[in-house]
Amino acid sequence: MAHPGRGEPYSVRSLAEASGVGQGVVEKLLTGRQRTADVDDAIAIAEALGVAINPLFAPPSSPNPKRTSLKSNRSLKE
């Protein structure tokens, strides 16, 4: 997990420490064993990573996660 201004990737432990979220929660979120997070944990993780929280709660751009809206727009134009 890279942090844009940090210069080195986060480990599960370092992200947990930087965000104040439990290491177990961070690990479960990363491995997919936990699919949701408490809003306070989500905000803390986003702030530690230096990213906006809105994309974390945005719906996917397409019902098919392997297909992006950009690809579908191109196929419509062709």
Side-chain angles (χ1 to χ4, degrees), residues 16-53:
E17 290 173 359
S19 65
V21 175
Q23 187 173 337
V25 172
V26 173
E27 184 176 356
K28 287 176 189 173
L29 289 167
L30 288 171
T31 61
R33 290 185 294 159
Q34 181 173 330
R35 297 198 52 173
T36 61
D38 177 87
V39 70
D40 293 330
D41 289 346
I43 291 169
I45 291 170
E47 287 177 352
L49 292 172
V51 298
I53 193 163

